[in-house]
Amino acid sequence: MVEQSSYQDLFNPGDIISCAFKGHEAYRSASVYIPEVPSVSVSPSAEIVEGSSVTLTCSSDANPAVKYTWYKEQQPISQEKQITFRSIQSSDSGDYYCTAENEVGRRSSEVISIKVKYDPKLPAVSVSPSAEITEGNSVTPSGEIGDDSPVTLTRSTVSFSPDIRNNQDSWKKTAAVASITVLFLAIIIISGIIFIRLRDQQPAEYSSALYGTVRKK
């Protein structure tokens, strides 16, 4: 005949429960207890570089044996005691923690932050709006690398003094007048050249006209 007995209560961390047959208290069963707060280790413990191998390990003492769960940014990612990144990437950076759970209770570890170092990457820069930009319009430049790394945008500007801005129209008018003057002078010079060439081609006619004029006097 098998005898059974049950016990129900609220258990707290540190409580150790066991049972024994009445009259045989010296022969207790194996103790059961809530998992201890899990400890988390990172290997290697030095600076983590992109492309290296990294292992996260979760450990807790409990009876019965615990089941482990790993979380990243509050989202479950594994139910193994260890997580191994064969070639860790910058996208693996974030906050991690693990839980240990058995039939008696559940405990969570502290949060650890994984920061993966990596070489600078070529940022992508965009401008909104992407259409033709005219003076006075609102323009928003932005840059991104593909993760949460900060991007610094450098602006280069050409400044004009107020007097120069106010005199821009005057400069345009002056340039227009100068262009017309040069054109007029060019026409006069070209006309003179044509006149001289025509005169050199007909010397006799000009001499006769000059001679006749002298005789009338």
Side-chain angles (χ1 to χ4, degrees), residues 36-42 56-61 68 70 81 97-100 107-110 112:
E36 295 182 356
V37 175
S39 62
V40 175
S41 62
V42 182
L56 307 182
T57 303
C58 183
S59 301
S60 177
D61 181 26
Y68 295 100
W70 275 100
K81 182 177 182 177
Y97 72 93
C98 68
T99 60
R107 306 291 295 276
S108 297
S109 72
E110 63 178 1
I112 60 171

Side-chain angles (χ1 to χ4, degrees), residues 145-193:
I145 296 181
D147 54 18
D148 295 331
S149 300
V151 177
T152 301
L153 298 176
T154 302
R155 181 181 67 178
S156 297
T157 59
V158 179
S159 300
F160 295 93
S161 65
D163 291 340
I164 292 178
R165 289 185 177 274
N166 293 334
N167 291 332
Q168 283 183 343
D169 292 338
S170 298
W171 289 353
K172 293 179 182 178
K173 292 179 182 179
T174 302
V177 172
S179 299
I180 295 174
T181 302
V182 171
L183 179 61
F184 182 72
L185 291 174
I187 293 174
I188 293 176
I189 293 172
I190 293 173
S191 299
I193 293 173

Side-chain angles (χ1 to χ4, degrees), residues 50 90-91 93 116-121 123-124 143-153:
E50 187 175 47
S90 59
S91 58
S93 297
V116 181
K117 304 293 184 181
Y118 56 92
D119 294 332
K121 298 179 180 180
E144 61 178 338
I145 296 181
D147 54 18
D148 295 331
S149 300
V151 177
T152 301
L153 298 176

Side-chain angles (χ1 to χ4, degrees), residues 21-84:
F21 288 109
K22 186 177 181 179
H24 300 277
E25 289 78 3
Y27 302 95
R28 295 184 178 183
S29 67
S31 301
V32 296
Y33 48 93
I34 296 175
E36 295 182 356
V37 175
S39 62
V40 175
S41 62
V42 182
S43 179
S45 58
E47 184 178 71
I48 299 174
V49 180
E50 187 175 47
S52 61
S53 177
V54 177
T55 300
L56 307 182
T57 303
C58 183
S59 301
S60 177
D61 181 26
N63 190 35
V66 297
K67 294 181 180 179
Y68 295 100
T69 304
W70 275 100
Y71 295 82
K72 178 187 178 184
E73 312 296 351
Q74 306 297 326
Q75 298 298 320
I77 58 172
S78 174
Q79 291 187 330
E80 301 294 332
K81 182 177 182 177
Q82 287 185 334
I83 302 177
T84 299

